[in-house]
């Protein structure tokens, strides 16, 4: 066939370890034979980040602002052990954090559902898309230990250092602890808009919960901002799309989600999102089946897998041992980016190709060919699942494609 043309590039952010290996194979076996692939390439692999003093990460985020669509491979966030392993100049920050700060985006995670793999919550027949507000709260908190007899205050000062308000938090009888957290109206508003926009694009309702009955100023501000923006900017659009916005207490949201069939966008405050995204991912099966996209308030997209670099598999791969690493979420990062590029450029063949690659991947699994992580979860009458190694799985998809 003649290769599908692209008019505008996708920003390609390469990564580390096992996912870097899968990255090359996905391009070679599933994309490059069919698409005249145009990318602006940034190597976010740890050695290159170290070499460029992490400038490459910021540059890739800036390029995403320019081109609008990026696809990212999983990357190592260095810790002390990695500093030694890679002889790093310093413990570089998380690339995802850096990119998120530059794009001011919200991360949406959605499970990839295939026939034969039943979620641990059997009622969840549709995907639950989880959006986490990735700013503030306990993630930028200040904390202190307090001793018996001491008092902690919450003091707000104006520009000149005059106290605007001063409240005693607690006069301690016995030792204890204290914490100060903050958030910003602008950040909450941009989170709300990102959620409402995503919901409109995917035609799913938005559920948001906080603890406004207990936290009458802090959490209540989240509730008010969501409600105000919804009423002013989205009510009509939601009605037209046949979807709705539900605000209720976080406890009530949790109960409703458990009883639901899925199919909603669950907007979470930072901590709730941290915890609930792991619960939701686990309930849908493997981390290898969870896709993720960062969307900025002005409509820039960065697609990636939700999992990491799968280090344990990579060490086996380096020793020449066979691996069976699930590449589905990484394939979805590519199809998400290609489809979005096609949509923005009015390039229908590119959109169609992305959908066909997704279908070929699902068909491969549904007909019984999969990576090891999915085998114990696969139950389909008349089909005995076959475990393939990392490369064979991609070759099998290529055959279907
Ligand atoms: P991980 O790479 O997600 O892997 C954790 C374990 O989950 C794996 O050892 C494997 O279990 C299973 N797993 C995850 N993805 C899989 C897949 N595609 N196919 C099959 N099994 C899969 O998390 P981690 O070990 O905590 O982190 C490794 C590195 O990734 C770290 O350096 C971390 O900084 C980085 N990381 C990056 C991102 C990102 O770039 N977005 C996100 C998270 C972590 P078994 O070994 O039992 O098979
Ligand atoms: Mg977490």
């Amino acid at each position: 066939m003649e290769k599908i043309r692209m008019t505008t590039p996708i920003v390609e952010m390469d990564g580390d370890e096992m996912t870097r290996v899968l990255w090359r194979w996905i391009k070679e076996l599933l994309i490059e034979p069919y698409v005249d692939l145009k990318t602006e390439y940034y190597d976010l692999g740890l050695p290159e980040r170290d070499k460029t003093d992490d400038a490459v990460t910021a540059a890739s985020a800036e390029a995403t602002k320019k081109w609008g669509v990026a696809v990212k491979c999983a990357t190592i966030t260095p810790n002390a052990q990695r500093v030694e392993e890679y002889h790093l100049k310093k413990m570089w920050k998380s690339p995802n954090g850096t990119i998120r700060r530059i794009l001011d985006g919200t991360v949406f995670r959605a499970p990839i559902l295939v026939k034969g793999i039943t979620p641990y919550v059997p009622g969840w027949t549709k995907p639950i898309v989880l959006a986490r507000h990735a700013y503030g709260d306990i993630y930028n908190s200040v904390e202190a230990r307090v001793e018996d007899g001491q008092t902690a205050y919450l003091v707000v000062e104006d520009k000149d250092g005059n106290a605007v308000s001063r409240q005693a938090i607690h006069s301690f009888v016995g030792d204890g602890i204290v914490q100060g957290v903050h958030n910003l109206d602008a950040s909450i508003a941009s989170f709300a808009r990102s959620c409402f926009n995503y919901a409109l694009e995917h035609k799913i309702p938005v559920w948001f919960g906080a603890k406004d009955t207990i936290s009458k100023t802090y959490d209540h501000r989240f509730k008010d901002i969501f409600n105000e923006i919804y009423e002013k900017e989205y009510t009509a659009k939601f009605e037209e799309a046949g979807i709705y916005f539900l605000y209720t207490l976080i406890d009530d949201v949790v109960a409703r989600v458990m009883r639901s069939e899925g199919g909603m966008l669950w907007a979470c405050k930072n901590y709730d999102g941290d915890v609930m995204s792991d619960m939701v991912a686990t309930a849908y099966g493997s981390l290898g089946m969870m896709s993720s996209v960062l969307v900025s308030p002005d409509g820039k997209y960065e697609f990636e897998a939700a999992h990491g670099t799968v280090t344990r598999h990579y060490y086996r791969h380096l020793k020449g041992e066979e691996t069976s690493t699930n590449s589905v979420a990484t394939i979805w990062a590519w199809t998400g980016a290609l489809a979005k590029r096609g949509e923005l450029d009015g390039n229908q063949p590119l959109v169609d190709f992305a959908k066909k690659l997704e279908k070929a991947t699902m068909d491969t699994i549904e007909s019984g060919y999969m990576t090891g992580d999915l085998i114990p979860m696969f139950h389909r009458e008349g089909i005995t699942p076959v475990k393939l190694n990392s490369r064979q799985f991609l070759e099998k998809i290529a055959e279907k494609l």
Side-chain angles (χ1 to χ4, degrees):
M1 68 177 262
E2 202 184 312
K3 286 192 190 181
I4 297 161
R5 294 255 167 80
M6 289 177 65
T7 48
T8 322
I10 288 171
V11 176
E12 176 182 353
M13 304 169 175
D14 208 343
D16 289 298
E17 301 194 312
M18 199 60 213
T19 40
R20 189 179 178 100
V21 176
L22 299 177
W23 194 259
R24 189 158 35 82
W25 290 347
I26 290 169
K27 285 172 66 180
E28 172 202 330
L29 295 168
L30 300 178
I31 300 173
E32 284 166 350
Y34 312 102
V35 178
D36 191 17
L37 188 64
K38 259 194 178 181
T39 70
E40 193 169 295
Y41 180 85
Y42 292 85
D43 187 357
L44 300 198
L46 190 48
E48 187 65 18
R49 276 183 275 148
D50 194 50
K51 201 172 121 198
T52 63
D53 294 335
D54 209 22
V56 66
T57 306
S60 74
E62 292 299 337
T64 307
K65 277 189 174 170
K66 175 176 174 195
W67 296 113
V69 183
V71 57
K72 181 180 171 291
C73 181
T75 46
I76 292 169
T77 297
N79 53 17
Q81 182 249 321
R82 298 296 199 168
V83 172
E84 236 170 76
E85 183 184 352
Y86 283 82
H87 308 290
L88 300 179
K89 293 182 211 158
K90 64 185 255 200
M91 205 186 289
W92 305 108
K93 286 191 178 149
S94 149
N96 286 54
T98 303
I99 295 165
R100 207 160 51 213
R101 265 191 302 282
I102 293 175
L103 293 177
D104 180 27
T106 299
V107 176
F108 298 89
R109 276 177 154 203
I112 300 153
L113 302 191
V114 296
K115 293 194 191 89
I117 294 174
T118 316
Y120 286 107
V121 182
W124 290 357
T125 53
K126 295 178 183 170
I128 294 171
V129 180
L130 201 133
R132 171 178 171 189
H133 181 218
Y135 180 83
D137 300 353
I138 60 164
Y139 302 87
N140 304 78
S141 67
V142 287
E143 307 184 331
R145 290 181 66 163
V146 185
E147 285 173 17
D148 178 36
Q150 298 175 337
T151 303
Y153 292 91
L154 181 65
V155 181
V156 180
E157 291 177 347
D158 67 14
K159 283 200 286 280
D160 308 317
N162 307 311
V164 176
S165 69
R166 178 184 165 91
Q167 304 171 60
I169 296 170
H170 195 68
S171 297
F172 283 76
V173 179
D175 296 351
I177 41 185
V178 68
Q179 181 183 55
V181 299
H182 82 280
N183 224 298
L184 298 173
D185 284 5
S187 174
I188 300 166
S190 116
F191 176 56
R193 287 196 182 91
S194 298
C195 289
F196 292 139
N197 288 341
Y198 186 101
L200 276 174
E201 189 180 338
H202 296 268
K203 303 239 178 320
I204 51 175
V206 175
W207 294 10
F208 176 54
K211 196 76 184 176
D212 61 284
T213 46
I214 300 295
S215 171
K216 289 182 168 41
T217 304
Y218 196 100
D219 274 28
H220 212 287
R221 191 76 195 125
F222 280 82
K223 175 185 178 177
D224 290 344
I225 290 174
F226 264 76
N227 279 337
E228 277 162 28
I229 290 179
Y230 180 70
E231 269 157 36
K232 273 202 204 113
E233 301 170 28
Y234 291 94
T235 314
K237 292 180 199 160
F238 267 48
E239 264 166 30
E240 199 184 317
I243 55 177
Y244 60 91
F245 166 53
L246 169 75
Y247 175 84
T248 177
L249 280 176
I250 179 67
D251 337 32
D252 187 39
V253 174
V254 169
R256 283 171 189 255
V257 165
M258 291 307 297
R259 289 195 303 265
S260 78
E261 56 170 12
M264 81 296 281
L265 167 64
W266 182 4
C268 287
K269 285 185 63 202
N270 211 348
Y271 178 81
D272 298 335
D274 185 349
V275 176
M276 292 304 170
S277 63
D278 285 303
M279 185 195 72
V280 170
T282 308
Y284 278 106
S286 168
L287 259 179
M289 300 294 280
M290 186 62 70
S291 68
S292 178
V293 58
L294 174 74
V295 185
S296 75
D298 57 343
K300 315 289 185 211
Y301 293 77
E302 182 241 304
F303 295 86
E304 63 179 322
H307 59 76
T309 58
V310 212
T311 310
R312 278 203 291 267
H313 295 213
Y314 182 58
Y315 290 156
R316 286 209 291 276
H317 173 80
L318 284 183
K319 281 193 262 167
E321 291 170 22
E322 191 164 83
T323 59
S324 183
T325 313
N326 191 334
S327 45
V328 172
T330 307
I331 294 172
W332 250 247
W334 274 101
T335 56
L338 291 169
K340 180 55 75 180
R341 183 76 279 163
E343 187 192 313
L344 294 176
D345 295 351
N347 185 347
Q348 194 58 39
L350 195 60
V351 176
D352 294 342
F353 171 76
K355 295 298 145 201
K356 282 176 191 163
L357 177 49
E358 289 182 358
K359 173 124 192 347
T361 305
M362 292 165 104
D363 286 351
T364 300
I365 298 170
E366 288 171 7
S367 63
Y369 298 95
M370 61 201 75
T371 46
D373 54 319
L374 299 180
I375 299 273
M377 291 181 293
F378 187 84
H379 302 285
R380 239 189 143 187
E381 225 174 86
I383 299 178
T384 312
V386 180
K387 177 178 166 178
L388 300 178
N389 69 32
S390 304
R391 180 147 178 126
Q392 285 166 343
F393 178 63
L394 293 169
E395 286 166 349
K396 199 80 191 168
I397 298 170
E399 239 172 68
K400 285 263 186 228
L401 187 63

